[in-house]
Amino acid sequence: MTGPTPGAGRKAAVLFDVDGTLVDSTYLHSLAWWQAFRQAGHDVPMASIHRSVGMGGDKILAKLLPADRDTGEDSTIMTSHAAVFSTFWPALRPLEGARELLAGCHDGGLAVALASSARERDLDVLRATIGADAYIDAATSSADAKESKPAPDILVAALNAVGVPATDAVYVGDAVWDIYAAGKLGIPAIGLTCGGTSEAELRDAGAVEIYPGPRALLDNLRDSAIGQLAARVRRS
């Protein structure tokens, strides 16, 4: 777990997925997985890969590859994905309004935690891409959870890092796997379509609100589930 904790002691928190939610990286991950699969002799349609991005790598392999495969090659495939994705680091860009959204949540009195299942090195690069460390109280990587999304372990780790219960948190993500993870803890989840998942799919997964991306959520922050949480904290 990484990151300073300038908001220690805050009573409520907003948890954020990172890939596809704050950084425009979903399709780069899809391409990296596609290349890693091809290197291992598996021809997986890229559309199927995109639909699975947001799950942990182990679960992506279990979902997309044959059950009778040699699972001894799984670690090699995941290493290949990491290597290919690293070649895209210079191309990473924050989604519009990402930094300002984190600042708005922090300035509203809420702890801000990145609940990401990215590898620790990737997470460092993603954080640098966003450029908002002054507003981030904690961040998780894949090392902080036993099970990856849609299991809620990453969210639990982020909540523990900021000392906030699930009843006083909101989660923001771009994939149905994010929404499912939050639902297992009873955390209201806001869905963003900027990762390529449709509004209907996010709504069906249980998202309480849907926005096109960070900028649209920021523009509606006061009236959103995040704004309602901040108002409740101010009244308490």
Side-chain angles (χ1 to χ4, degrees), residues 75-206:
S75 62
T76 300
I77 295 173
M78 288 194 283
T79 298
S80 295
H81 163 262
V84 175
F85 184 69
S86 70
T87 67
F88 298 134
W89 285 350
L92 291 174
R93 296 294 182 271
L95 285 155
E96 183 185 0
R99 182 181 186 277
E100 295 83 357
L101 176 59
L102 299 186
C105 293
H106 184 270
D107 292 346
L110 302 172
V112 173
L114 305 184
S116 171
S117 54
R119 298 173 185 85
E120 190 166 354
R121 184 67 186 97
D122 285 340
L123 182 59
D124 290 342
V125 174
L126 292 165
R127 288 183 64 161
T129 298
I130 301 166
D133 275 3
Y135 311 113
I136 297 171
D137 300 297
T140 65
S141 70
S142 57
D144 298 308
K146 182 177 180 181
E147 281 200 57
S148 58
K149 298 171 190 173
D153 299 29
I154 288 290
L155 279 68
V156 172
L159 290 170
N160 289 340
V162 293
V164 170
T167 51
D168 295 321
V170 172
Y171 185 53
V172 183
D174 70 292
V176 295
W177 319 111
D178 298 318
I179 311 303
Y180 293 149
K184 291 176 182 177
L185 298 177
I187 298 175
I190 295 174
L192 304 183
T193 60
C194 48
T197 300
S198 71
E199 177 177 348
E201 292 170 292
L202 293 169
R203 188 81 66 185
D204 287 346

Side-chain angles (χ1 to χ4, degrees), residues 210-223:
I210 312 289
Y211 299 92
R215 172 62 64 184
L217 175 53
L218 176 63
D219 290 343
N220 294 276
L221 196 59
R222 186 178 65 176
D223 296 324

